[in-house]
């Protein structure tokens, strides 16, 4: 009678292990499906940010152009100030003709206006690239979160596989 009780207990334990193995295998299949969906989403997200290098390069170039334009405006302002404040050349003491000064100042004002217009256009483009870079950064965060989710899913699969191995060893 005792042996029958032991055998019944062993059979019950064996069946319980088989059931647990089946549950773990189903869980693994579910995790694998989740990983595949996440990988598909990550591939799509990566496709959405393929322009990162070109946008980043454009942003760097626009910042350089902005700096050059600002220096140009500063130089023209300095030259304008010179002609506005001086009637004689400080180097050679020669008189600067009023007509020449007026023409030069007018020409500098035109150049300053032209450069300011270019600066406005570059600022608009810089804003567009900054906006795109912000979108790209947000997408990169989504990619990072997706990769973390995949890691969690892979860890779960590994845990289930170890559990299955343990239960299979108990069957023997």
């Amino acid at each position: 009678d005792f042996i029958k009780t032991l055998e019944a207990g062993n059979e019950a334990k064996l069946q319980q292990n088989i059931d647990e193995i089946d549950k773990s295998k189903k869980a693994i299949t579910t995790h694998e499906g989740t990983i595949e969906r996440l990988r598909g989403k990550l591939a799509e997200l990566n496709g959405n940010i393929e322009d990162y290098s070109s946008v980043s390069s454009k942003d760097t170039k626009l910042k350089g152009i902005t700096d050059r334009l600002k220096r140009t405006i500063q130089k023209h302002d300095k030259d304008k100030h010179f002609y506005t404040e001086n009637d004689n050349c400080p180097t050679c003491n020669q008189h600067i003709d009023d007509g020449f000064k007026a023409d030069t100042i007018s020409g500098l004002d035109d150049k300053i206006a032209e450069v300011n217009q270019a600066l406005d256009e570059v600022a608009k483009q810089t804003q567009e690239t900054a906006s795109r870079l912000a979108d790209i950064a947000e997408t990169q965060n989504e990619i990072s979160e997706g990769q973390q989710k995949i890691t969690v899913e892979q860890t779960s699969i590994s845990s289930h596989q170890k559990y299955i191995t343990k239960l299979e060893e108990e069957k023997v």
Side-chain angles (χ1 to χ4, degrees):
D1 206 33
F2 177 71
I3 292 179
K4 287 183 181 180
T5 304
L6 280 178
E7 286 176 353
N10 283 344
E11 285 181 32
K13 177 67 175 161
L14 182 61
Q15 187 58 47
Q16 181 182 0
N17 285 357
I18 290 170
D19 292 344
E20 288 294 317
I21 288 171
D22 287 343
K23 276 197 237 178
S24 287
K25 285 181 178 179
K26 287 177 184 173
I28 288 172
T29 301
T30 301
H31 290 299
E32 288 172 341
T34 301
I35 287 172
E36 285 309 306
R37 283 190 300 281
L38 287 169
R39 285 185 176 149
K41 175 77 171 164
L42 292 181
E44 179 184 330
L45 290 171
N46 276 315
N48 292 341
I49 61 170
E50 288 177 343
D51 62 339
Y52 171 75
S53 292
S54 64
V55 172
S56 181
S57 175
K58 181 179 180 180
D59 187 60
T60 301
K61 288 176 185 176
L62 288 171
K63 287 177 182 173
I65 291 169
T66 298
D67 290 342
R68 285 192 299 277
L69 290 173
K70 286 180 179 179
R71 284 193 303 272
T72 300
I73 289 173
Q74 287 173 343
K75 180 190 178 309
H76 290 326
D77 279 338
K78 181 180 175 187
D79 292 346
K80 181 180 171 183
H81 179 74
F82 172 83
Y83 286 107
T84 303
E85 297 297 318
N86 294 299
D87 290 328
N88 294 319
C89 175
T91 304
C92 66
N93 287 329
Q94 185 176 0
H95 178 71
I96 302 173
D97 182 60
D98 288 338
F100 175 76
K101 282 174 47 173
D103 289 346
T104 302
I105 289 170
S106 176
L108 288 169
D109 283 339
D110 290 345
K111 288 179 182 178
I112 290 169
E114 185 180 313
V115 174
N116 273 324
Q117 186 177 359
L119 194 56
D120 288 344
E121 180 58 34
V122 170
K124 180 182 170 191
Q125 290 181 26
T126 300
Q127 178 61 36
E128 290 170 1
T129 57
S131 175
R132 179 63 185 132
L133 287 172
D135 290 345
I136 289 171
E138 187 177 316
T139 301
Q140 288 172 328
N141 285 338
E142 288 180 48
I143 290 170
S144 179
E145 289 170 7
Q147 290 169 333
Q148 290 171 356
K149 288 177 183 177
I150 287 174
T151 299
V152 168
E153 295 295 324
Q154 289 171 331
T155 300
S156 294
I157 289 172
S158 178
S159 294
H160 282 292
Q161 288 171 334
K162 288 177 184 174
Y163 184 56
I164 288 171
T165 301
K166 177 184 169 257
L167 291 175
E168 286 175 340
E169 287 172 357
E170 287 179 10
K171 288 193 315 187
V172 176

